[in-house]
Amino acid sequence: MDLDDEVPGADKTLGEELTTPTKIYSPLMTKLRDDVEFFAHITGGGFKNLLRVLPPNLYARLEISEVDPIFKLIQEKLNVPEREMYSVFNMGIGLVVGVKKENKEDVISKIEKEKEICLDLGSLVKGERKVVINKEIILQKY
């Protein structure tokens, strides 16, 4: 592809997608810090970064149905296995915020008030520390 080619399913060119700066979440994190259990910035290392913040007796069970088009393109063009994609890239999810059930609606409201997109990705479940994505991708080692 040429850098001026549009990414299928996106409203940006390949060049624009590849040079979009990382979003800075620290202002949002400062506003939420008293209401959350943990933050995980899903940058290099992908969803394995959740392993850094999970206690040893819990695992993250995530359902991720929408993936940014640039990641679909990378996976398709470079023939990257899905597990590897979630181990390396954020797949369009920049920050994971862990909250107790009783704080969930309040935290979602605060995030949306800041004009951020907020998705309920799943839950924490008792068991060995790992990240399970869409019931089939399992990340256990960082």
Side-chain angles (χ1 to χ4, degrees), residues 3-139:
L3 291 175
D4 293 327
D5 291 344
E6 208 168 283
V7 172
D11 60 353
K12 293 182 180 180
T13 66
L14 178 60
E16 291 169 331
E17 282 283 7
L18 296 176
T19 58
T20 299
T22 299
K23 186 172 197 116
I24 305 301
Y25 290 100
S26 55
L28 176 65
M29 293 167 72
T30 299
K31 291 177 181 178
L32 298 176
R33 70 177 165 213
D34 294 332
D35 301 318
V36 305
E37 300 304 304
F38 66 81
F39 295 103
H41 196 205
I42 311 300
T43 55
F47 286 85
K48 290 185 300 186
N49 287 335
L50 279 168
L51 296 170
R52 295 177 175 177
V53 295
L54 291 176
N57 63 333
L58 293 176
Y59 73 91
R61 184 171 49 201
L62 308 178
E63 291 292 328
I64 301 173
S65 57
E66 292 293 321
V67 174
D68 280 1
I70 186 65
F71 299 109
K72 291 178 185 177
L73 180 68
I74 290 169
Q75 183 176 12
E76 177 187 303
K77 294 288 186 184
L78 300 176
N79 197 29
V80 180
E82 193 169 35
R83 183 183 186 284
E84 187 70 13
M85 292 296 294
Y86 282 95
S87 293
V88 174
F89 299 107
N90 70 19
M91 307 302 278
I93 307 293
L95 182 71
V96 173
V97 180
V99 300
K100 291 183 178 176
K101 286 180 185 179
E102 59 265 23
N103 293 342
K104 179 177 150 184
E105 294 306 320
D106 185 45
V107 170
I108 289 172
S109 176
K110 287 179 180 180
I111 292 170
E112 289 174 344
K113 184 177 177 185
E114 296 298 317
K115 306 286 191 253
E116 295 289 349
I117 296 169
C118 184
L119 306 171
D120 184 347
L121 295 178
S123 60
L124 300 180
V125 180
K126 288 188 187 238
E128 181 183 350
R129 182 186 350 207
K130 61 187 170 186
V131 179
V132 178
I133 302 169
N134 300 337
K135 297 179 185 162
E136 56 190 43
I137 301 163
I138 299 173
L139 309 174

